[in-house]
Amino acid sequence: MEDKIRALSDRALEELEKADTAEALEAWRLSYLSRKGELNSLMSGLRDAAPEDRPRLGQEINRLKVSLQEGFTARQERFEEERRSRAVSAEQVDVTLPGIPPSPGRLHLTTLTLRKICRIFHGMGFEVLESPEVESDEYNFEMLNMPPHHPARDMWDTFYLTESVLLRTHTSPGQIHAMLPASPKPLRVILPGRCYRYEAVTARSEFMFYQVEGLAVGPHITLSHLKGVLETFARQMFGEERTIRFRGSYFPFTEPSVEVDMDCILCHGRGCRICKGTGWLEIAGAGMVHPKVLENGGYDPKEHSGLAFGMGPERIAMLINRVDDIRYFYSNDLRFLSQYS
Ligand code: DAH
């Protein structure tokens, strides 16, 4: 019996050492330590031993049991450790693999368009200025010849911060900001920037968008200067063959006022889907600065006259890139934005 115990001990420990998978460990446990395992059958064998030997043999078998159990736990822990370290080394970074290139980002289509517009006007001697997005009622309306209750205010509803402070509806108040410190010297500026309108968002109108305002004031500025400036712009922006026309219109801050049309870039005036069959595309509102606005800017309308215009860079970008919905610009969808650089 003692030989049997020793043989079992040797064999069990040897096999335990060799068990190197979770399945082998479990198989080992079942064959030695489970209810029907070899250790228990050894214990049942005590029955056949001489009664006086039984206590000693029983103790020996129990010692073996404890040692096998401890051996099993230790082997199990070592196995877990080996498994963890194998997993870590499998995860190790292969420094020879190509990296994930960092995305450097890109300029927004509006920014790209604004830069091009500014470059063109810069070439005609216009300086680039900025004026506040949060404006007073006085600058957004009154100084532009729209006193309280003027019906034209209906065209420019906006977001009010207080009764007299608002988000500007157009860049035209920039005309006053540009004129006041400069008057009465000749002036040539463009003012790009964000504008806001309280209106339904549709494919054609956003509650936030950009404008570029233009203003030139001097002793002999005429409507033909206005036409020359805008025609030069249209040709540099949309192609040398472009031609423009003025259509009579109304703005409180200009007199006379016009809408500026350009022959359609797609059908060259024959009429198509883009120009809705008219052959013309509207690209700006414009006019000669109203005498009252000149006065509000500190100029004497008998000595100076001015030309002014306002255009929407998103609309221009939409025409050039055939974008049919202005909402793409500010809905932060990279599938749209990453097409332009
Ligand atoms: N401020 C006008 C608008 O938002 C656009 C405009 C029209 C600007 C005529 C001008 C101008 O400077 O002369 O609808």
Side-chain angles (χ1 to χ4, degrees):
M1 184 85 184
E2 273 137 327
D3 289 346
K4 260 184 157 177
I5 297 175
R6 212 164 307 121
L8 178 64
S9 166
D10 289 348
R11 186 157 46 84
L13 290 174
E14 197 180 318
E15 280 180 21
L16 181 61
E17 204 47 46
K18 285 193 200 136
D20 55 2
T21 63
E23 293 77 23
L25 268 175
E26 179 59 8
W28 184 92
R29 190 188 67 78
L30 288 173
S31 77
Y32 292 101
L33 296 174
S34 66
R35 201 161 48 84
K36 288 186 179 159
E38 291 201 39
L39 211 65
N40 273 352
S41 42
L42 206 58
M43 201 62 110
S44 325
L46 272 182
R47 261 184 271 124
D48 306 327
E52 63 275 20
D53 291 337
R54 281 183 203 160
R56 185 174 47 79
L57 289 172
Q59 273 180 8
E60 249 178 72
I61 294 173
N62 270 332
R63 263 202 300 281
L64 175 59
K65 189 174 178 184
V66 171
S67 104
L68 289 191
Q69 269 166 346
E70 283 175 358
F72 177 74
T73 313
R75 180 71 189 98
Q76 216 177 14
E77 278 168 9
R78 221 170 68 217
F79 173 75
E80 272 305 313
E81 211 161 280
E82 282 165 8
R83 213 176 54 147
R84 264 199 301 276
S85 78
R86 267 201 304 275
V88 168
S89 63
E91 263 176 31
Q92 259 168 14
V93 182
D94 179 351
V95 292
T96 63
L97 285 174
I100 301 164
S103 164
R106 65 190 74 225
L107 294 178
H108 193 281
L109 177 56
T110 303
T111 310
L112 293 166
T113 312
L114 284 171
R115 288 193 176 180
K116 196 161 176 206
I117 295 173
C118 289
R119 213 176 309 132
I120 293 172
F121 284 108
H122 189 243
M124 288 187 269
F126 285 76
E127 193 184 341
V128 179
L129 290 187
E130 285 188 17
S131 81
E133 281 174 43
V134 178
E135 239 343 326
S136 60
D137 182 279
E138 189 187 7
Y139 271 73
N140 197 74
F141 293 120
E142 283 177 47
M143 303 272 262
L144 295 173
N145 201 26
M146 275 180 276
H149 310 299
H150 192 290
R153 284 186 179 217
D154 286 355
M155 292 199 286
W156 291 283
D157 197 5
T158 185
F159 303 99
Y160 286 84
L161 307 184
T162 71
E163 220 169 284
S164 56
V165 179
L166 46 84
L167 298 183
R168 67 175 174 193
T169 53
H170 48 179
T171 42
S172 301
Q175 292 187 25
I176 308 289
H177 287 294
M179 280 192 279
L180 277 178
S183 57
K185 285 202 290 288
L187 183 70
R188 229 180 283 179
V189 294
I190 56 166
L191 297 128
R194 279 192 203 94
C195 304
Y196 302 82
R197 298 240 175 123
Y198 181 68
E199 59 182 47
V201 173
T202 68
R204 296 186 59 77
S205 60
E206 261 287 3
F207 70 91
M208 192 283 292
F209 54 94
Y210 280 73
Q211 280 192 346
V212 177
E213 190 80 13
L215 173 71
V217 183
H220 305 292
I221 304 275
T222 67
L223 195 71
S224 42
H225 291 126
L226 178 63
K227 195 157 189 194
V229 164
L230 290 172
E231 192 172 68
T232 302
F233 167 74
R235 290 184 174 166
Q236 292 194 14
M237 193 78 196
F238 296 96
E240 270 312 312
E241 68 281 17
R242 294 280 71 79
T243 161
I244 64 163
R245 73 172 184 188
F246 281 174
R247 221 168 357 102
S249 185
Y250 172 75
F251 298 103
F253 32 89
T254 41
E255 180 57 39
S257 302
V258 295
E259 302 284 351
V260 186
D261 292 343
M262 170 182 77
D263 63 322
C264 178
I265 50 175
L266 196 65
C267 67
H268 303 276
R270 265 173 272 122
C272 68
R273 193 177 51 83
I274 291 199
C275 60
K276 300 204 181 72
T278 63
W280 296 94
L281 298 165
E282 190 184 310
I283 57 164
M288 299 306 292
V289 182
H290 194 286
K292 278 205 185 134
V293 176
L294 283 172
E295 267 171 22
N296 291 341
Y299 287 83
D300 178 353
K302 288 196 273 308
E303 308 257 315
H304 286 90
S305 53
L307 63 82
F309 54 88
M311 58 181 72
E314 292 93 347
R315 258 189 67 71
I316 289 171
M318 285 167 80
L319 287 175
I320 293 175
N321 300 290
R322 313 276 193 272
V323 178
D324 58 7
D325 194 323
I326 195 171
R327 288 170 292 195
Y328 286 129
F329 280 76
Y330 307 115
S331 52
N332 258 348
D333 189 337
L334 285 179
R335 287 171 304 179
F336 172 73
L337 297 174
S338 61
Q339 292 177 49
Y340 309 99
S341 54

